Amino acid sequence: MTTNTGADTIFALASGALPAGLAVIRVSGPAAGRALESLTGGPLPRPRRATLAVLGSLECTLDRGLVIWFPGPRSFTGEDVAEFHIHGGRAVAAAVLAALAGIDGLRPATAGEFTRRALAGGKMDLTAAEGLADLVAAETEAQRIQALRQAGGALGRIYDRWRDDLTWALAQLEAAIDFSGEDLPPGLTEAAAVKVRSAADEMDAHLTDARRGERLRDGLGAAIIGAPNVGKSSLFNMLARRDAAIVSDAAGTTRDVIEAHLDLGGYPVLLADTAGLGRAEGDVEAEGVRRALIRAAGADLKIAVFDAATWPETDAGTARTVDENTLVVLNKCDLASPPGDATVGGRRAIAVSARTGEGIDNLLKAITEKAASICNPAESPALTRARHRATLEESRAALGRFLKDVDEKKGVEIIAEELRLASRALGRITGRVDVEDLLDVIFGDFCIGK
Ligand SMILES: Nc1nc2c(ncn2[C@@H]2O[C@H](COP(=O)(O)OP(=O)(O)OP(=O)(O)O)[C@@H](O)[C@H]2O)c(=O)[nH]1
Ligand SMILES: [Mg+2]
């Protein structure tokens, strides 16, 4: 049996830029089976089995490749889906796409249209669709782990469970409304309040997560700071594994903030090299210092660099910025090696040499550990977008009003309304309600299956 939504049939290149070894073209909709028969000239292959086929017509062979037939609802979109795994040449893909365009009822998909159909077909919720987009965009191992879990529905399941709890609570209140005037069964509102309180507590825990999911998705900000000439740019180049920043023995070489996207131990880090603190000879250097301080203040992680050759004498200005999000580094340990238990600003220093590479592994390990403590994806699933946070906060606020109204013994109709608002907000996160309003915003900047 096949399932179709009655929509038209769409097709698109589902794989990446051409030329490539392979290209995958996906077709979804009621005419997918007919398209497959038309291009292979044969009956439909066994469902979900890769089958070798010659594509084209008697007069003109387009390519030889594998075809897979996914009759709905067991397909990506829930509709009938056909996939063509062909050679990834531009002309090959163009020829197959042109042949599909020539079939009655088929048209090219628009951006994100396959995913929209998967949502409409109930194959995934909105958070899973976002997870899929994040998985495609994931650049590091930790991002991959987080995105894969979200794409598998881990976030959506949490929100659905809370929504079920609120629906149950609402049912108690509605029963109370129905009974009003008659003998009200005791305890309905209280039972609802108990359920809501527990969901609200879980929401609070989920929301007070130090933004770890969002930070992992967006990348952590790290800033290298320190006095002029301590070797910040040398260290930056070493960590970035390229000569991105100018290094010289003149103090005040770096003036602007220089950035590099890095994968450090599986965590995405946007590392910034900054101007030396403390020295501000002239407007340009003063501006450089101002920018360095702004960057340091906004960073998830600071790497404060000091000169090993002068230790225990250290730059007081930099030492003052050391806090629990700071890794302290004593650079130039090739010139003088500080004791293993050397500290600056109360933190154990990591001795490195940006010249010889000594100690860099220890620094990398410390950065990775710090990143893991900020946004380890192995912990419980975390929300990953500002959209999730804002909508959850909306839901939580309505629950707060509900609980207050219950305490104040307000009328059951009034308190039920707050529960409806809270439940509706949860439904918007997963796309169970008001989904059309959200799709354009969400799919505006990414497309899957197209
Ligand atoms: N011996 C030794 N010299 C180093 C080391 N790291 C940097 N240097 C030298 O120290 C000088 C300053 O290095 P930079 O990396 O430009 O220092 P910076 O902190 O970025 O300096 P500003 O941008 O001016 O604040 C250069 O001559 C480097 O070659 C090191 O680990 N050992
Ligand atoms: Mg520099």
Side-chain angles (χ1 to χ4, degrees):
M1 201 201 72
T2 62
T3 302
N4 290 305
T5 59
D8 43 5
T9 300
I10 53 173
F11 64 91
L13 184 67
S15 54
L18 303 176
L22 285 176
V24 178
I25 291 172
R26 192 185 258 165
V27 183
S28 177
R34 189 154 50 76
L36 190 51
E37 286 171 337
S38 162
L39 253 69
T40 58
L44 288 173
R46 280 178 66 189
R48 291 172 290 281
R49 294 289 163 95
T51 311
L52 186 63
V54 176
L55 304 179
S57 60
L58 279 180
E59 305 83 60
C60 173
T61 299
L62 301 176
D63 193 15
R64 242 183 312 276
L66 294 178
V67 295
I68 314 181
W69 167 231
F70 300 93
R74 290 175 63 191
S75 69
F76 177 72
T77 56
E79 302 178 318
D80 286 351
V81 167
E83 278 182 11
F84 298 88
H85 295 230
I86 57 175
H87 293 106
R90 286 201 186 93
V92 181
V96 175
L97 289 169
L100 289 170
I103 298 171
D104 235 18
L106 265 68
R107 66 162 173 83
T110 56
E113 202 171 3
F114 285 93
T115 312
R116 279 173 183 248
R117 288 193 177 194
L119 279 167
K123 301 300 287 189
M124 60 175 80
D125 74 83
L126 200 47
T127 62
E130 290 169 332
L132 199 54
D134 291 348
L135 189 59
V136 172
E139 288 184 343
T140 73
E141 179 63 5
Q143 285 179 319
R144 180 190 67 74
I145 292 169
Q146 172 163 278
L148 186 63
R149 182 154 60 173
Q150 190 175 324
L155 264 192
R157 276 192 292 278
I158 295 175
Y159 305 146
D160 280 343
R161 183 163 53 74
W162 290 339
R163 193 151 172 261
D164 287 348
D165 288 350
L166 301 193
T167 306
W168 182 88
L170 202 51
Q172 309 308 302
L173 297 181
E174 274 159 3
I177 293 171
D178 291 344
F179 274 102
S180 63
E182 302 165 35
D183 283 343
L184 192 66
L188 287 180
T189 312
E190 289 69 20
V194 167
K195 194 66 132 189
V196 169
R197 209 165 278 126
S198 123
D201 287 348
E202 284 186 38
M203 268 188 210
D204 286 341
H206 188 70
L207 280 165
T208 48
D209 65 346
R211 294 184 56 248
R212 65 189 168 87
E214 290 146 290
R215 283 160 127 176
L216 179 53
R217 180 170 176 267
D218 299 340
L220 296 172
I224 302 180
I225 52 168
N229 241 355
V230 292
K232 299 178 297 300
S233 299
S234 307
L235 197 58
F236 176 84
N237 289 346
M238 192 110 199
L239 293 171
R241 294 205 197 91
R242 63 191 163 90
D243 252 351
I246 299 173
V247 167
S248 94
D249 51 14
T253 302
T254 306
R255 284 149 174 224
D256 235 332
V257 174
I258 301 170
E259 296 180 331
H261 284 277
L262 308 180
D263 175 346
L264 296 182
Y267 289 89
V269 176
L270 180 63
L271 184 68
D273 179 24
T274 64
L277 301 178
R279 203 188 108 111
E281 292 180 4
D283 291 349
V284 179
E285 282 189 24
E287 176 60 16
V289 170
R290 194 182 73 83
R291 290 181 185 203
L293 290 172
I294 289 174
R295 185 53 77 106
D300 295 307
L301 167 63
K302 282 179 289 190
I303 300 170
V305 184
F306 299 91
D307 194 337
T310 65
W311 192 88
E313 196 135 302
T314 51
D315 177 60
T318 309
R320 267 197 300 277
T321 68
V322 171
D323 59 17
E324 72 275 11
N325 292 324
T326 309
L327 292 175
V328 169
V329 170
L330 282 170
N331 186 38
K332 307 194 185 183
C333 74
D334 53 300
L335 297 181
S337 66
D341 58 358
T343 61
V344 181
R347 310 233 138 219
R348 176 72 63 87
I350 303 165
V352 305
S353 167
R355 179 157 290 173
T356 66
E358 193 185 335
I360 296 293
D361 281 352
N362 290 339
L363 176 59
L364 280 173
K365 195 160 152 268
I367 296 175
T368 308
E369 278 167 11
K370 198 84 193 165
S373 76
I374 295 172
C375 57
N376 192 340
E379 291 172 25
S380 58
L383 58 93
T384 53
R385 293 176 188 236
R387 180 184 87 79
H388 305 157
R389 183 172 296 283
T391 321
L392 259 186
E393 281 170 348
E394 203 183 300
S395 180
R396 177 62 183 87
L399 292 187
R401 290 193 300 272
F402 165 85
L403 291 168
K404 186 162 168 281
D405 289 351
V406 169
D407 282 348
E408 293 171 0
K409 306 217 173 332
K410 292 226 172 107
V412 73
E413 282 92 350
I414 296 174
I415 62 175
E417 190 50 33
E418 296 294 1
L419 267 194
R420 275 187 211 105
L421 285 175
S423 168
R424 195 167 186 81
L426 280 178
R428 281 213 310 281
I429 306 185
T430 52
R432 306 274 185 235
V433 297
D434 297 342
V435 70
E436 278 308 319
D437 295 348
L438 291 165
L439 286 178
D440 286 335
V441 180
I442 291 161
F443 289 114
D445 60 349
F446 79 83
C447 53
I448 303 166
K450 166 84 173 68

